[in-house]
Amino acid sequence: MTREELISVLEDSSPENAAALYAKAYEVKKKTVGESVYLRGLVEISNICRKNCLYCGIRRDNREAGRYELTDKEVLDAAEFAFKEGYGSLVIQGGERTDRMFIDRITAMLVEIKRRWPLGITLSLGEQSMDVYQEWFEAGAHRYLLRIESSTKELYEKIHPADAVHSYETRVEALVSLRRCGYQVGTGVMIGLPFQTAAHLADDLLFFKRLDIDMCGMGPYLEHSQTPLYEYRGLIPDKMSRLELSLKMVALLRLLMPDINIAATTAMQAIVQDGRERAIMAGANVLMPNLTSADVREEYQIYQNKPGVGEDAAISSSRTEQRLKDMKIPIGYGRWGDSQHFGKR
Ligand code: SAH
């Protein structure tokens, strides 16, 4: 598909065409990676962050966000829960920290989890040096998620502060470092940002292809009143349009890169209750039930009205699994569910 074709699909407002696109993407998924959905237990380890992203509720300067860090025991409990539930994999996500104490803590935790359970581990802990990525890889992580947020430098710079800590080039380089270390590399973007056009989104898809990524997680941008970007909320499409646009992005990416892993993200569920299931029907094949301890969930509000706040791991996971079962979607229990794309490289 050319850039122009991608733009015209993204701009098309016909619900029939969208439904046909989702069905086509589902067929492609079925034929390549298969119908199974892989579950990854998601642990939001901490909301302490050195970054100040203009859209994010846990940005450094948001004084209203109470900061927390899970204990080792809480993380290990979540890992054990994931293993017992048959998830096969764990995702550890958190705010970005580059201090040695944090780095060492993650390393030790990776070693301990791998010692106890044969789980696949994905990290999503922001930009780090090549050495740190290497250290964590050797300790047992084998996949990494680092969204580019927008692949267009001008738009990236509109949604991040203009300083050296928030450099577009550094973020792209981090993705290159991750690949060099041997990780399965995942990236993604937010959809429906102020100032964002269909052409930006088409370029994002082409960026994923050019980077030859193994995994992707993307979802609608959701405004947060305690962030600077909130001021521009009048410029964004309504929620349902953002959801439809996100589903189209999933479907188009499945057509462009048939054998990668694509996540059905929580942000989709924040717009409609079955948002993640809709993403699965549009070509996604990975879903991450939240296993973060219930008492701190409301502190990891990267956007407001995040679903699952107040629920514990058992509730979030059983609800998610039940919905998939009701839809007759097979779940890839007990397997890591690695990116086939990576396997072929
Ligand atoms: N510190 C890690 C994890 C960030 S949180 C990192 O830098 O990769 C995970 C993702 O949440 C971000 O990459 C961003 O795409 C998304 N996110 C943050 N704020 C958001 C918002 N207001 N609406 C929708 N998604 C948001």
Side-chain angles (χ1 to χ4, degrees):
M1 256 181 289
T2 65
R3 182 171 186 267
E4 280 61 42
E5 284 166 337
L6 294 171
I7 295 174
S8 86
V9 173
L10 291 165
E11 282 178 340
D12 185 333
S13 60
S14 145
E16 293 77 28
N17 291 349
L21 172 69
Y22 305 155
K24 190 167 159 201
Y26 194 90
E27 274 313 299
V28 168
K29 171 175 86 161
K30 201 168 158 180
K31 272 196 227 124
T32 51
V33 294
E35 255 185 307
S36 288
V37 168
Y38 295 93
L39 301 176
R40 325 242 186 258
L42 174 65
V43 185
E44 294 153 338
I45 191 167
S46 165
N47 67 351
I48 300 171
C49 193
R50 67 195 280 260
K51 289 279 184 87
N52 224 356
C53 306
L54 304 180
Y55 46 84
C56 185
I58 64 167
R59 64 197 302 271
R60 191 186 61 214
D61 287 352
N62 184 10
R63 304 271 176 264
E64 289 171 73
R67 304 289 163 168
Y68 76 91
E69 204 173 344
L70 295 185
T71 62
D72 288 0
K73 182 174 184 307
E74 284 174 307
V75 178
L76 292 172
D77 284 350
E80 179 174 38
F81 182 92
F83 178 72
K84 287 194 171 151
E85 205 69 14
Y87 288 178
S89 294
L90 192 70
V91 180
I92 300 176
Q93 185 177 82
E96 186 174 302
R97 278 177 64 179
T98 53
D99 54 289
R100 196 67 234 181
M101 231 172 71
F102 180 73
I103 293 164
D104 288 345
R105 187 167 172 239
I106 297 296
T107 304
M109 202 128 53
L110 289 168
V111 170
E112 189 56 24
I113 294 170
K114 294 302 271 193
R115 193 180 70 77
R116 295 199 200 185
W117 306 283
L119 286 167
I121 306 180
T122 308
L123 294 180
S124 179
L125 300 169
E127 293 161 35
Q128 304 288 343
S129 70
M130 176 101 166
D131 288 347
V132 171
Y133 285 149
Q134 193 70 51
E135 178 178 325
W136 287 344
F137 186 79
E138 280 159 19
H142 79 298
R143 311 184 188 111
Y144 205 103
L145 298 170
L146 183 77
R147 290 188 179 179
I148 189 66
E149 314 299 358
S150 168
S151 66
T152 303
K153 187 170 163 13
E154 292 71 44
L155 180 55
Y156 185 92
E157 290 175 351
K158 280 202 174 116
I159 61 171
H160 293 96
D163 62 31
V165 194
H166 298 84
S167 143
Y168 174 79
E169 284 77 16
T170 308
R171 203 155 180 93
V172 175
E173 275 162 29
L175 288 168
V176 175
S177 300
L178 287 165
R179 163 70 27 87
R180 286 214 193 103
C181 291
Y183 283 95
Q184 293 177 36
V185 179
T187 191
V189 294
M190 283 174 289
I191 297 157
L193 287 162
F195 322 111
Q196 189 181 49
T197 64
H200 289 134
L201 292 171
D203 287 337
D204 291 335
L205 292 168
L206 297 171
F207 173 89
F208 300 153
K209 180 97 185 154
R210 200 161 61 242
L211 242 74
D212 197 31
I213 59 168
D214 306 302
M215 324 181 286
C216 187
M218 39 188 184
Y221 161 67
L222 297 159
E223 60 275 36
H224 192 304
S225 62
Q226 294 156 8
T227 64
L229 212 61
Y230 192 68
E231 187 186 326
Y232 300 101
R233 63 191 178 283
L235 299 179
I236 58 179
D238 65 64
K239 280 203 168 141
M240 284 316 284
S241 310
R242 272 176 275 162
L243 177 68
E244 290 295 345
L245 209 47
S246 303
L247 295 172
K248 278 189 190 171
M249 286 290 282
V250 165
L252 287 170
L253 185 58
R254 177 59 70 197
L255 300 182
L256 282 175
M257 304 188 77
D259 58 357
I260 66 168
N261 277 347
I262 304 177
T265 58
T266 312
M268 307 224 192
Q269 189 195 357
I271 294 184
V272 289
Q273 238 251 311
D274 65 342
R276 294 179 304 175
E277 289 77 5
R278 289 198 206 182
I280 284 163
M281 297 318 291
N285 69 327
V286 167
L287 198 151
M288 301 178 277
N290 194 343
L291 304 185
T292 308
S293 323
D295 56 330
V296 296
R297 275 196 194 190
E298 70 177 317
E299 312 289 5
Y300 200 83
Q301 295 252 24
I302 47 185
Y303 46 82
Q304 280 159 324
N305 305 315
K306 196 159 157 254
V309 168
E311 291 178 10
D312 65 5
I315 299 176
S316 294
S317 56
S318 66
R319 281 199 185 143
T320 305
E321 287 174 63
Q322 194 52 53
R323 269 190 236 118
L324 293 174
K325 283 171 190 158
D326 291 345
M327 291 167 72
K328 309 259 181 301
I329 292 171
I331 299 177
Y333 284 116
R335 282 177 284 165
W336 283 9
D338 279 330
S339 164
Q340 290 194 10
H341 189 70
F342 182 85
K344 290 179 198 155
R345 184 175 298 120

